[in-house]
Amino acid sequence: MKFIKNKSGFLDRTKGANELIDLRKTISNHKRWDLLFMITGIIALMIAILTFIALFAQMLIDGMPRLSWDFFTSFPSRRPESAGILSAWVGTTLVMLVTAVSAVPLGVGAGVYLEEYAPKNLFTEIIEINVTNLAGVPSIIYGLLALGLFVYQLGFGQSILAAGMALALLILPVVIVATREAIRSIPIAIREGAYALGATKWQTVSDHLLPYSSAGILTGIIIGLARAIGETAPIITIGALTFIAFLPPSPVTNEFPFISFEWLTAPFTVMPIQMFNWVSRPEEAFQLNAAAAGLVLVVMTLTMNGLAIYLRYRMRKNIKW
Amino acid sequence: MLFVGNAKNCLIHPNILLAKYPANLLIQNPVSKELPSKKEHVGKLGYSYRRKIHERFIESILFLSALLSVVIMMAIIVMLVKESVVFFKHVSIWEFLTDTQWTPLFDDAHYGILPLVAGTVVSSVVALLVALPLGTIIAIYLSEFAPFAVREVAKPFLELLGGIPTVVYGYFALLFVTPLLQMIFPELPGFSLLSAGLVMGIMIIPYVSSMTEDAMRAVPMQLREGSYAMGATRFQTAIRVVTPAAFSGIAAAYILGISRAVGETMVVAIAAGMQPNLTWNPMEPAATITAYIVQVSLGDLPHGSVGYQTIFAAGLTLLLITLIFNIIGHQLRKRYREIY
């Protein structure tokens, strides 16, 4: 036990008082570590936030002057001042349409099956392990699959259909996991109530479980689509052209039957590809275009993610089983 | 309506049904295992044939969509292996693994995966040196220190950060981070693994931090309370109690972060250059496995040429690396979920 001088400069007479002072010192030492770590934590968080702000500011400064109505309504061009993103955003919209139409029913169906129907056996476990593994496969691998399977084997070519389906495969695990989590959070009493009234399994699922979990499923779908919008690698891999100065055929026609599916097989470009194309050019003027396209892309994904976060927040607040 | 009157007409014997589903799920009287006679049943809500078929039909559709995940995985493996087998007929596996040059598109073609693997390793190590410490500190801070309001704001914000397209991060690395680094290291070239790795690290932070935080949240409150009751401070509790208890979850977060860094494409393709270069120096430009696939895809390679097959061989290498990490990661994650 070491002796410590008290405030008045005398050595403490009692052992107890010494211990108390010692203890206080130890505690304040430890509290200092607390504070130190707290500051480190805030700094780490700040680094992440500042990076985001720098990224956004950089694009805003570079890209804002290029953003105008013309930018959205003109085709890409060899002259940077007159280049626009018309074919890119139309392409993105159409590709997302294909992605949503193919990934949502399959993902929700798989989620419902795994959560409500699947017996507990080895095969179900294999499916579950597969879903988690698929979520970890790098996106470019999906591009290779789409290149070999959709583009060449099935003969879709470098089309909107091939790209949309590649992205659908990519976001399938996201939709499945979101569906499962949303359905899992519904209490068992709801199911028992439905069965007690004579509902079959499918009636229970379609009339009760799906409507009650729709907000959660929707959140998953939005997050998945937001991810798909920004994916570049798989679309590059299927060999999508980067210079497209025309629009795919319109899905709505003047003649009977008024709907045409010709656009599915049309060549296309999407927002991230357009941006990548501009970034990789040496001229600075094109990089300003890239900044503008990036700004549009980031606003799109942030809006979608923000919507998903808001939905989840509201859901957590409103639903109390 | 056609009703099932007795066990003979039933698609599945009632005993099996009772074994499969809890008794109260069935419409029939669960106590007596005999089904009521046909006459008794007419006019009541019943256990009808059509209904049963309808149910089975829907169940099989749902099953098929679940089966699709297995089919996709198989298709990926079959596709990569099929093209790689043709490639390895042309190039021996030994050459593929030991040659130090990767120039499949030149006249003097060399097929050594080593330069691409080196580029992947260097950029991933740089990324992880950023992402793992920062991600862990953020997770510990958010889970153990931060007031409720800070957590409620910071978590969605990090999620948004994780949702930004990778091509935008690539742009940021090339046009913001590289010039910034060139102020510090004037000899840094326009493309470098360093700036790509740094930005990739920032990009992975939300991924690591959210999974680490989940693992720490899964540690039961009693452990913390016990630690506080013994007089430990928050920092001591976080480092000596919560972190070891969440260890396998944190390890899983790290490993999945690694697999993410290895598979990342656009940032390295834009900011690290696309020239294969056997180097361990992050200050140099080099291509990763993913960047090489992008480079080939940008060109116009005929279907079936050796160049076309190289990207499948490279893809197979990438898939094997990430699959190993993913399987380890998920095993660890499963373990921490089961402990408490």
Side-chain angles (χ1 to χ4, degrees):
Chain A
M1 178 96 240
K2 60 183 172 180
F3 285 85
I4 297 160
K5 282 181 181 175
N6 63 11
K7 272 181 194 160
S8 49
F10 292 106
L11 289 178
D12 273 316
R13 272 159 295 176
T14 55
K15 207 180 156 200
N18 271 329
E19 268 182 350
L20 198 66
I21 293 171
D22 237 13
L23 207 61
R24 286 210 175 115
K25 206 166 180 190
T26 315
I27 289 174
S28 70
N29 259 340
H30 288 163
K31 286 259 159 118
R32 203 170 302 144
W33 273 104
D34 258 21
L35 192 71
L36 211 67
F37 187 82
M38 198 121 148
I39 293 167
T40 319
I42 293 172
I43 290 174
L45 203 58
M46 278 300 142
I47 290 177
I49 292 172
L50 281 181
T51 311
F52 176 76
I53 292 171
L55 184 149
F56 207 75
Q58 159 91 2
M59 276 197 310
L60 211 62
I61 293 166
D62 280 358
M64 207 56 194
R66 285 290 299 125
L67 277 187
S68 64
W69 184 247
D70 283 345
F71 189 66
F72 288 93
T73 55
S74 33
F75 288 110
S77 156
R78 303 210 179 281
R79 280 165 298 140
E81 324 68 69
S82 59
I85 53 167
L86 177 62
S87 49
W89 70 257
V90 172
T92 288
T93 314
L94 293 176
V95 169
M96 283 308 116
L97 197 68
V98 175
T99 303
V101 165
S102 33
V104 170
L106 290 172
V108 174
V112 168
Y113 179 82
L114 289 176
E115 209 51 45
E116 291 296 312
Y117 286 83
K120 255 199 184 311
N121 60 20
L122 184 71
F123 193 69
T124 307
E125 203 171 315
I126 289 176
I127 295 181
E128 284 181 358
I129 291 172
N130 244 300
V131 172
T132 48
N133 271 341
L134 278 181
V137 170
S139 60
I140 197 157
I141 301 283
Y142 286 98
L144 289 177
L145 170 69
L147 176 68
L149 188 68
F150 299 147
V151 175
Y152 290 115
Q153 212 102 350
L154 300 178
F156 293 165
Q158 282 130 8
S159 61
I160 291 176
L161 183 64
M165 283 175 67
L167 294 181
L169 299 187
L170 184 72
I171 67 165
L172 204 57
V174 180
V175 180
I176 294 178
V177 170
T179 306
R180 291 191 65 176
E181 277 176 3
I183 289 183
R184 200 180 303 152
S185 67
I186 298 173
I188 192 92
I190 300 279
R191 296 172 182 81
E192 283 165 352
Y195 291 139
L197 290 172
T200 62
K201 198 150 197 149
W202 174 242
Q203 284 168 338
T204 311
V205 168
S206 65
D207 294 346
H208 300 277
L209 301 186
L210 282 182
Y212 303 160
S213 58
S214 58
I217 296 174
L218 195 63
T219 312
I221 293 171
I222 294 172
I223 287 176
L225 285 180
R227 195 179 150 200
I229 274 193
E231 272 302 339
T232 325
I235 298 187
I236 290 182
T237 314
I238 63 172
L241 288 172
T242 45
F243 190 83
I244 298 274
F246 51 86
L247 288 183
S250 162
V252 186
T253 56
N254 289 329
E255 296 154 35
F256 188 78
F258 303 112
I259 292 173
S260 141
F261 287 103
E262 238 178 282
W263 55 272
L264 280 175
T265 55
F268 68 102
T269 189
V270 288
M271 293 285 304
I273 297 268
Q274 189 61 66
M275 181 179 174
F276 175 65
N277 185 16
W278 280 332
V279 168
S280 47
R281 296 216 191 179
E283 301 98 321
E284 203 179 320
F286 276 115
Q287 291 175 348
L288 299 186
N289 280 355
L295 202 56
V296 176
L297 197 59
V298 166
V299 168
M300 270 154 95
T301 51
L302 286 190
T303 314
M304 290 172 84
N305 278 314
L307 187 69
I309 290 170
Y310 171 73
L311 267 176
R312 197 184 312 150
Y313 172 76
R314 259 198 54 174
M315 205 163 60
R316 218 186 289 156
K317 217 169 135 192
N318 287 353
I319 296 184
K320 289 200 175 64
W321 294 109
Chain B
M1 250 173 127
L2 200 102
F3 289 108
V4 178
N6 52 37
K8 221 166 50 180
N9 297 358
C10 215
L11 269 182
I12 300 178
H13 193 271
N15 288 344
I16 300 173
L17 266 180
L18 279 171
K20 196 175 168 196
Y21 300 110
N24 59 354
L25 297 196
L26 296 179
I27 309 304
Q28 71 199 35
N29 183 356
V31 182
S32 75
K33 287 188 181 173
E34 289 165 30
L35 287 163
S37 74
K38 211 176 211 167
K39 237 180 200 171
E40 248 179 282
H41 230 133
V42 173
K44 287 180 195 165
L45 239 186
Y47 190 64
S48 87
Y49 221 44
R50 202 183 292 165
R51 205 164 135 147
K52 183 75 202 157
I53 289 172
H54 187 229
E55 285 290 303
R56 297 290 290 193
F57 177 68
I58 281 167
E59 183 171 346
S60 40
I61 286 180
L62 293 177
F63 173 72
L64 286 180
S65 50
L67 193 67
L68 189 69
S69 73
V70 181
V71 175
I72 295 170
M73 202 63 192
M74 303 246 269
I76 288 175
I77 292 169
V78 166
M79 190 55 71
L80 292 180
V81 169
K82 197 183 79 181
E83 298 285 347
S84 301
V85 163
V86 186
F87 171 76
F88 284 122
K89 272 183 195 155
H90 187 85
V91 181
S92 71
I93 292 189
W94 182 248
E95 189 193 340
F96 184 69
L97 293 178
T98 58
D99 199 328
T100 54
Q101 279 185 312
W102 179 261
T103 53
L105 307 178
F106 293 178
D107 287 338
D108 174 31
H110 284 276
Y111 303 95
I113 193 81
L114 230 57
L116 299 184
V117 171
T120 306
V121 169
V122 172
S123 63
S124 305
V125 166
V126 173
L128 294 172
L129 285 179
V130 175
L132 299 190
L134 285 181
T136 314
I137 290 172
I138 290 177
I140 295 177
Y141 173 71
L142 285 182
S143 135
E144 306 298 319
F145 287 84
F148 182 74
V150 172
R151 187 158 54 215
E152 285 298 288
V153 176
K155 281 202 79 171
F157 195 88
L158 284 173
E159 245 173 88
L160 285 182
L161 205 60
I164 291 178
T166 55
V167 65
V168 174
Y169 278 111
Y171 160 89
F172 180 66
L174 182 66
L175 296 178
F176 186 87
V177 176
T178 303
L180 208 66
L181 287 173
Q182 274 169 338
M183 283 182 211
I184 309 170
F185 312 106
E187 72 279 14
L188 193 77
F191 296 111
S192 71
L193 288 171
L194 182 65
S195 72
L198 285 180
V199 172
M200 211 154 84
I202 300 266
M203 202 180 85
I204 300 174
I205 286 178
Y207 200 66
V208 174
S209 73
S210 86
M211 250 189 323
T212 305
E213 203 211 328
D214 283 349
M216 299 184 89
R217 287 290 194 85
V219 173
M221 214 53 200
Q222 288 100 304
L223 286 186
R224 289 187 190 89
E225 281 160 1
S227 168
Y228 291 142
M230 300 294 286
T233 59
R234 281 188 169 197
F235 182 67
Q236 287 170 324
T237 308
I239 298 296
R240 299 198 198 156
V241 177
V242 180
T243 310
F247 177 75
S248 58
I250 296 173
Y254 284 5
I255 285 171
L256 295 179
I258 294 174
S259 116
R260 183 85 197 273
V262 169
E264 177 43 45
T265 311
M266 293 321 291
V267 177
V268 279
I270 292 173
M274 294 199 251
Q275 292 310 314
N277 177 9
L278 182 55
T279 177
W280 302 102
N281 179 5
M283 309 283 270
E284 283 182 40
T288 61
I289 299 176
T290 50
Y292 171 71
I293 299 175
V294 167
Q295 187 206 1
V296 170
S297 311
L298 286 175
D300 212 11
L301 271 186
H303 173 53
S305 65
V306 181
Y308 171 83
Q309 285 147 6
T310 54
I311 61 174
F312 286 91
L316 187 64
T317 315
L318 182 66
L319 181 71
L320 288 180
I321 296 173
T322 51
L323 265 190
I324 290 169
F325 281 128
N326 282 338
I327 289 170
I328 299 173
H330 284 298
Q331 286 305 321
L332 284 171
R333 216 167 145 191
K334 217 163 131 187
R335 200 181 329 150
Y336 93 74
R337 281 205 176 146
E338 277 165 8
I339 290 176
Y340 303 111

